[in-house]
Amino acid sequence: MSTDPRRQVPRTDTLLADPALAAASARLGRELVKDAVRGVQQQVRQGSLAPDDAVAAVLAGLPGTAGSLRPVLNATGVLVHTNLGRAPLSPAAVEAVVAASGTTDVELDLGSGRRGPRGEAALAALLAAVPAAEAAIVVNNCAAALALVATALGGELVIARGELVEIGDGFRIPELLESTGARLREVGTTNRVALEDYTRALGPGTGAVLKVHPSNFVVRGFTRSVPVASLAAGLEGTGVPLVADVGSGLLRPHPVLPEEPDLQTTLADGADLVLASGDKLLGGPQAGLVLGRAELVQRLRRHPLYRALRVDKTTLAALEATLRGPLPPVQEMLAADVAGLRRRAEALAARLAGAGVDARAVDSAARVGGGGAPEHPLPSAAVSLPGSFAAPLRRGACPVVGHVEDGRTLLDLRSVPPSADGDLAAAVLAVAGRGA
Ligand SMILES: *Cc1c(COP(=O)(O)O)cnc(C)c1O
């Protein structure tokens, strides 16, 4: 018999017929398994793998799911990290998503057998959480909410120059608004705007006055803006709706973030509509929340564009469970006390140092992120590792994203759920074992 490894390469059919690989094909689809088989056959051909180890190597090389997105441990200290998918869903929300993933009664009343209002329970949960709102709808994200408002109420939108903001990745709110065909009537200057600037700009073509929370920056010094309550009072009797984009999605005032606007207070102060993201501080799925006066919400819902922006059943399920279920991870991370974070950092550092890793516990500053509370660092604690750990940690079997500061890799624990500390330690030890 030939010893040429190319003669011993297991055939594709033979490998695919192996019971373990057949089961993998049923779970992941034949093509993904075939890709892994081809890679392994190549290794055997090159002589770097024994033919008998082929099945095990294929199994080891298979992805965890048929999708390529992988779970990542967020140790950046940025609680809502847009590049890492913003808010992690709560286990309750994940369960609700799974339950709603198949065919589900999202738009059917099972009692009567008739068509029912879409996502009614999620909307009821929103209204229960924000009693100042008469009605609500949910769209794809906050940008979609802005586009819907500009399209349906548009004409001319009156907005302060200091609130023509760019959120991130080149997303500029004024450009989005203008892309709908609405005209912007800019009032005030970069640093100052007064109530009279707004009221003087009103005319027969005014569709709405828009207030945008400058989420990711602050202007200091000789500044002035008009609070929602004053603006609402100034618009009284004009019939012009006041729309406030608060961005972060806080339902109520939060003791840890005193500067961050919330939906309930903004409506109680007199805004006619409030807009927010679902996947920032609310801690839920990507969504755009629109709450406020029933007549305005109804106008948005009836606009043809709404159909193009509405959310699917899994988003509605996740949103409802986020609102009704236990506190979502983002809220727990916000509330975590620094003494507890320090204890976790010390325990982790001691465990890693015991295994010979240059690790120590340090104080750090976490952030809300996602364009929230830019000036409000959250006291936190981190495990400090050599800078050379950052890249291999990111590329590991359980990817960890930390942040590098002064040549050290910091793993900030405020953005890591306590239940993941064991995985974090294992990921660091795996890197250390490979000699980072
Ligand atoms: C984040 C943010 C947006 C964009 O929200 P998405 O849900 O990402 O579309 C819009 N406005 C403000 C004030 C924000 O902070």
Side-chain angles (χ1 to χ4, degrees), residues 86 141-143 146 167 171 173 212-213 215 245-247 277 279-280 287 370-371:
R86 290 202 184 154
N141 56 12
C142 192
L146 281 163
I167 298 294
F171 167 47
I173 287 181
V212 176
H213 178 55
S215 307
D245 171 9
V246 303
S277 297
D279 55 356
K280 292 180 179 173

Side-chain angles (χ1 to χ4, degrees), residues 79-231:
L79 306 194
V80 179
H81 199 302
T82 301
N83 301 152
L84 295 177
R86 290 202 184 154
L89 293 180
S90 68
V94 172
E95 268 182 36
V97 166
V98 171
S101 294
T103 41
T104 185
D105 57 342
V106 65
E107 223 175 281
L108 186 78
D109 177 353
L110 291 173
S112 66
R114 293 221 177 84
R115 180 180 174 170
R118 186 181 174 83
E120 192 178 27
L123 298 179
L126 261 180
L127 296 177
V130 184
E134 295 170 2
I137 49 171
V138 182
V139 289
N140 179 58
N141 56 12
C142 192
L146 281 163
L148 183 58
V149 162
T151 308
L153 308 184
E156 200 161 77
L157 298 171
V158 179
I159 182 168
R161 288 205 165 81
E163 296 178 8
L164 299 170
V165 303
E166 175 170 326
I167 298 294
D169 193 28
F171 167 47
R172 295 177 166 171
I173 287 181
E175 289 175 0
L176 169 74
L177 297 171
E178 284 180 323
S179 76
T180 68
R183 292 183 312 280
L184 297 190
R185 177 69 193 270
E186 302 169 14
V187 296
T189 62
T190 310
N191 54 328
R192 285 173 73 87
V193 65
L195 179 59
E196 308 77 63
D197 293 319
Y198 285 99
T199 49
R200 247 189 279 128
L202 302 180
T206 308
V209 170
L210 185 59
K211 234 185 118 53
V212 176
H213 178 55
S215 307
N216 50 8
F217 69 101
V218 288
V219 187
R220 257 197 233 97
F222 187 54
T223 64
R224 176 167 159 191
S225 63
V226 186
V228 167
S230 317
L231 201 44

Side-chain angles (χ1 to χ4, degrees), residues 23-421:
S25 291
R27 193 170 67 83
L28 297 170
R30 208 172 151 83
E31 284 311 309
L32 275 179
V33 180
K34 262 180 152 171
D35 284 347
V37 162
R38 272 185 222 112
V40 163
Q41 286 171 323
Q42 183 64 17
Q43 286 174 276
V44 175
R45 212 169 283 128
Q46 289 163 349
S48 59
L49 186 78
D52 286 350
D53 296 336
V55 169
V58 173
L59 284 172
L62 287 173
T65 70
S68 64
L69 290 180
R70 300 168 63 193
V72 172
L73 277 181
N74 171 13
T76 60
V78 179
L79 306 194
V80 179
H81 199 302
T82 301
N83 301 152
L84 295 177
R86 290 202 184 154
L89 293 180
S90 68
V94 172
E95 268 182 36
V97 166
V98 171
S101 294
T103 41
T104 185
D105 57 342
V106 65
E107 223 175 281
L108 186 78
D109 177 353
L110 291 173
S112 66
R114 293 221 177 84
R115 180 180 174 170
R118 186 181 174 83
E120 192 178 27
L123 298 179
L126 261 180
L127 296 177
V130 184
E134 295 170 2
I137 49 171
V138 182
V139 289
N140 179 58
N141 56 12
C142 192
L146 281 163
L148 183 58
V149 162
T151 308
L153 308 184
E156 200 161 77
L157 298 171
V158 179
I159 182 168
R161 288 205 165 81
E163 296 178 8
L164 299 170
V165 303
E166 175 170 326
I167 298 294
D169 193 28
F171 167 47
R172 295 177 166 171
I173 287 181
E175 289 175 0
L176 169 74
L177 297 171
E178 284 180 323
S179 76
T180 68
R183 292 183 312 280
L184 297 190
R185 177 69 193 270
E186 302 169 14
V187 296
T189 62
T190 310
N191 54 328
R192 285 173 73 87
V193 65
L195 179 59
E196 308 77 63
D197 293 319
Y198 285 99
T199 49
R200 247 189 279 128
L202 302 180
T206 308
V209 170
L210 185 59
K211 234 185 118 53
V212 176
H213 178 55
S215 307
N216 50 8
F217 69 101
V218 288
V219 187
R220 257 197 233 97
F222 187 54
T223 64
R224 176 167 159 191
S225 63
V226 186
V228 167
S230 317
L231 201 44
L235 291 176
E236 191 148 359
T238 64
V240 174
L242 172 58
V243 181
D245 171 9
V246 303
S248 72
L250 272 188
L251 299 170
R252 303 293 188 100
H254 197 292
V256 173
L257 300 171
E259 305 288 313
E260 204 57 31
D262 66 276
L263 298 175
Q264 171 68 17
T265 307
T266 307
L267 284 173
D269 280 351
D272 297 297
L273 283 179
V274 287
L275 319 179
S277 297
D279 55 356
K280 292 180 179 173
L281 292 175
L282 181 71
Q286 179 186 305
L289 316 177
V290 183
L291 294 93
R293 278 193 15 229
E295 175 262 323
L296 287 170
V297 171
Q298 196 58 358
R299 251 168 85 190
L300 300 183
R301 194 201 309 271
R302 292 228 178 89
H303 193 281
L305 184 62
Y306 167 68
R307 177 57 189 244
L309 304 177
R310 75 177 193 188
V311 293
D312 87 319
K313 59 198 176 186
T314 56
T315 299
L316 291 165
L319 180 62
E320 183 186 355
T322 301
L323 291 162
R324 287 210 197 276
L327 276 192
V330 169
Q331 295 283 335
E332 290 193 332
M333 290 167 184
L334 255 188
D337 81 314
V338 71
L341 296 171
R342 282 201 190 107
R343 276 194 298 276
R344 286 170 59 200
E346 275 154 19
L348 271 168
R351 181 167 162 196
L352 295 170
V357 181
D358 168 16
R360 51 183 192 263
V362 295
D363 283 350
S364 60
R367 311 224 154 237
V368 167
E375 293 287 280
H376 200 89
L378 305 165
S380 188
V383 176
S384 165
L385 299 167
S388 61
F389 273 65
L393 275 174
R394 228 171 38 237
R395 297 184 195 124
C398 164
V400 176
V401 182
H403 84 115
V404 177
E405 200 177 285
D406 299 331
R408 300 283 293 179
T409 301
L410 296 190
L411 303 182
D412 194 304
L413 295 182
R414 194 180 274 276
S415 55
V416 177
S419 59
D421 284 359

